[in-house]
């Protein structure tokens, strides 16, 4: 499983206080919602993100994810023909279906299209049986994967999302799942942008009313039951000054299909209009070269092991003051990747973000005479100054 970007923990209160001109989040009708920037893995805004809801057909995101994983691992093939069981055919005669029939084999590829585009409950069961033999075994895999992903408040009772007291999730957990759906199997994710699919001579539209790949909206899934209300997860990309960024809007428990679409559109428009995602530092690039004692070289390159990507109110990045704190003194040997201090991003003398600084190269211990000389100087320095951190104010590079 892949996730992009290094997460830089930002103290939201300090940011919103310093940038009071940033418009407040839109007023929505949904019971629970969340807006995530996947480029930085940063939650821009949320309301009741930990509130348990019935995910309904949003459950199918996990079903599709595991089916795509099985294709990737060659456990099943896209052109593989699947026998349709009576259980799959009868799962819900009045609900969403792709109209598969017993005795009429269907390909895995068609089942994936029927699951994702038409939200077929019959397709969900057929894929579950194709991947794991039985739906019950498949559901066990769904719950195992949810734990692996860190979906701590989620449980799946079936592969399709029909009502069950043991089927629940949260906006926060669903944002994790949605991010994996986008990032882990990009070829499979392309299906989410298809507007219609015809199977068994029956054409059905994608239920996501916001779907408009030409405008950047390329997914992802609707859900509805009487108990849960109307839900929608929408994923969209825009290209800005810092390159392409993706926002995922999770809207749960709206009163109507129109309301969930309107709430999702409001969230996405607000997020793209008022925030930007910036790469502050490039991973592996030196931000400083401090002195090293007792080493074969007198300096060491220090920086970050990964790109440092943050989501901020537009124009905010250049108002930060980066302050580098290094553990003093730095003594060889130093292993590449070892933590040597931290970078603090200051805003009006308040630390709003912190990230470890690491050695980008190793420094071996020097010979006897160099070590002895450095030990003497260190003893004199510490006797009069004591051990202290080296604090360096550095310019913010705003790497492209």
């Amino acid at each position: 499983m892949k996730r992009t970007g290094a997460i830089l923990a930002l103290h939201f209160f300090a940011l919103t206080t310093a940038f009071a001109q940033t418009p407040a989040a839109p007023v929505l009708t949904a019971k629970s919602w969340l807006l995530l920037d996947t480029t930085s893995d940063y939650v821009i805004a949320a309301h009741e993100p930990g509130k348990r809801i019935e995910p309904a057909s949003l459950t199918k995101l996990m079903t599709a994810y595991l089916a795509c994983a099985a294709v990737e691992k060659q456990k099943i093939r896209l052109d593989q023909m699947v026998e349709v069981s009576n259980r799959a055919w009868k799962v819900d005669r009045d609900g969403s279906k792709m109209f598969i029939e017993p005795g009429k084999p269907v390909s895995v590829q068609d089942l994936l299209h029927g699951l994702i585009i038409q939200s077929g409950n019959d397709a969900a069961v057929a894929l579950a049986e194709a991947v794991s033999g039985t739906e019950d075994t498949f559901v066990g895999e769904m719950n195992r994967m949810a734990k692996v992903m860190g979906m701590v408040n989620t449980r799946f009772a079936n592969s399709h999302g029909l009502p069950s007291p043991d089927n629940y999730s949260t906006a926060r957990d669903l944002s994790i799942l949605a991010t994996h759906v986008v990032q882990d199997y990009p070829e499979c994710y392309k299906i989410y942008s298809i507007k219609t699919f015809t199977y068994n001579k029956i054409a059905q539209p994608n239920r996501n009313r916001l779907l408009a790949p030409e405008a950047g909206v390329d997914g992802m899934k609707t859900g509805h039951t009487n108990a849960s209300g109307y839900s929608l997860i929408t994923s969209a990309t825009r290209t800005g000054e810092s390159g392409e960024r993706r926002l995922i809007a999770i809207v749960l428990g709206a009163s109507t299909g129109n309301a969930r679409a309107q709430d999702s559109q409001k969230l996405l428009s607000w997020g793209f209009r008022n925030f930007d995602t910036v790469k502050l530092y490039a991973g592996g690039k030196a931000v400083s070269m401090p002195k090293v004692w007792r080493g074969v070289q007198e300096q060491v390159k220090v920086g970050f092991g990964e790109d440092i990507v943050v989501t901020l109110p537009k124009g905010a990045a250049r108002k930060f003051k980066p302050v580098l704190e290094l553990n003093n003194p730095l003594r060889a040997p130093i292993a590449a990747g070892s933590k040597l201090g931290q970078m603090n991003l200051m805003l009006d003398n308040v630390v709003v973000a912190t990230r470890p600084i690491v050695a980008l190269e190793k420094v071996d211990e020097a010979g006897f005479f160099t070590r002895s000389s450095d030990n003497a100087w260190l003893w004199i320095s510490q006797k009069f100054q004591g051990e202290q951190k080296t604090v360096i104010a550095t310019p913010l590079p705003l790497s492209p």
Side-chain angles (χ1 to χ4, degrees):
M1 293 185 297
K2 310 156 193 160
R3 299 295 293 273
T4 61
I7 303 171
L8 189 60
L10 299 174
H11 297 300
F12 186 72
F13 177 78
L15 285 176
T16 53
T17 300
F19 300 104
Q21 73 274 19
T22 301
V27 177
L28 307 182
T29 62
K31 297 175 183 177
S32 172
W33 54 264
L34 180 148
L35 182 64
L36 172 73
D37 190 316
T38 66
T39 311
S40 60
D41 202 24
Y42 179 70
V43 175
I44 298 175
H47 171 71
E48 298 279 7
K51 182 181 180 67
R52 278 191 181 183
I53 57 92
E54 188 178 292
S57 284
L58 301 181
T59 299
K60 291 171 181 139
L61 290 175
M62 181 61 85
T63 302
Y65 181 89
L66 290 178
C68 293
V71 171
E72 180 89 358
K73 297 172 184 175
Q74 299 183 345
K75 186 176 180 180
I76 57 175
R77 304 185 318 276
L78 289 175
D79 62 357
Q80 177 179 326
M81 301 306 291
V82 175
E83 294 292 334
V84 178
S85 69
N86 282 329
R87 179 171 180 171
W89 178 56
K90 294 180 178 179
V91 61
D92 180 31
R93 304 310 301 158
D94 299 321
S96 303
K97 50 186 165 293
M98 68 173 288
F99 297 100
I100 54 178
E101 301 173 2
K104 185 178 179 181
V106 56
S107 71
V108 168
Q109 179 160 304
D110 280 347
L111 286 172
L112 278 170
H113 282 68
L115 174 75
I116 294 169
I117 302 168
Q118 298 171 341
S119 196
N121 296 320
D122 49 359
V125 177
L127 276 171
E129 292 174 343
V131 172
S132 300
T134 69
E135 186 186 15
D136 290 343
T137 302
F138 185 82
V139 170
E141 285 300 302
M142 294 172 71
N143 288 314
R144 184 193 66 81
M145 183 56 69
K147 288 183 179 180
V148 171
M149 289 182 178
M151 300 171 66
V152 296
N153 289 306
T154 295
R155 182 163 182 80
F156 297 112
N158 51 53
S159 62
H160 38 69
L162 289 172
S164 168
D166 293 325
N167 205 40
Y168 55 83
S169 189
T170 67
R172 183 181 291 112
D173 280 6
L174 288 169
S175 73
I176 295 171
L177 173 57
T179 302
H180 280 291
V181 167
V182 172
Q183 294 181 353
D184 292 358
Y185 303 109
E187 286 301 312
C188 198
Y189 180 66
K190 291 177 181 178
I191 300 173
Y192 289 85
S193 66
I194 299 174
K195 293 185 176 182
T196 64
F197 178 61
T198 300
Y199 180 79
N200 208 4
K201 299 181 181 180
I202 302 171
Q204 296 187 72
N206 195 312
R207 288 171 170 79
N208 183 358
R209 299 181 187 180
L210 298 184
L211 189 62
E214 66 279 2
V217 180
D218 56 9
M220 134 178 348
K221 192 73 189 72
T222 60
H224 169 257
T225 64
N226 291 334
S228 67
Y230 291 83
S231 300
L232 176 61
I233 297 178
T234 312
S235 181
T237 60
R238 298 265 180 93
T239 301
E241 295 181 3
S242 303
E244 185 178 86
R245 58 193 291 240
R246 179 181 292 276
L247 299 186
I248 293 179
I250 314 288
V251 170
L252 307 176
S255 57
T256 66
N258 282 335
R260 71 183 174 188
Q262 291 171 3
D263 281 356
S264 299
Q265 185 63 69
K266 285 180 183 179
L267 265 184
L268 290 171
S269 297
W270 175 78
F272 281 121
R273 184 172 60 251
N274 294 294
F275 294 83
D276 202 2
T277 300
V278 182
K279 183 166 73 172
L280 298 181
Y281 293 94
K285 185 175 181 179
V287 299
S288 185
M289 294 185 64
K291 179 175 177 54
V292 177
W293 299 88
R294 296 168 49 91
V296 294
Q297 60 198 61
E298 294 185 353
Q299 294 177 303
V300 59
K301 295 179 181 178
V302 300
F304 304 96
E306 301 175 277
D307 290 350
I308 301 300
V309 183
V310 297
T311 298
L312 301 166
K314 285 188 180 293
R318 296 187 183 279
K319 297 183 180 181
F320 282 118
K321 175 184 176 183
V323 176
L324 176 61
E325 287 188 0
L326 291 172
N327 301 329
N328 183 43
L330 300 180
R331 297 182 176 91
I334 296 173
S338 57
K339 181 181 176 182
L340 301 182
Q342 64 185 27
M343 178 72 81
N344 296 325
L345 288 182
M346 311 290 293
L347 188 61
D348 294 335
N349 296 318
V350 176
V351 177
V352 296
T354 299
R355 191 70 180 173
I357 286 287
V358 300
L360 299 178
E361 59 185 343
K362 72 172 184 176
V363 180
D364 293 325
E365 196 173 46
F368 173 77
F369 290 107
T370 298
R371 296 200 312 272
S372 299
S373 174
D374 282 0
N375 284 339
W377 282 108
L378 279 171
W379 182 85
I380 295 172
S381 174
Q382 291 170 3
K383 184 174 180 62
F384 291 99
Q385 298 180 10
E387 296 229 4
Q388 54 185 296
K389 292 182 180 293
T390 299
V391 179
I392 306 170
T394 65
L396 197 63
L398 294 176
S399 302

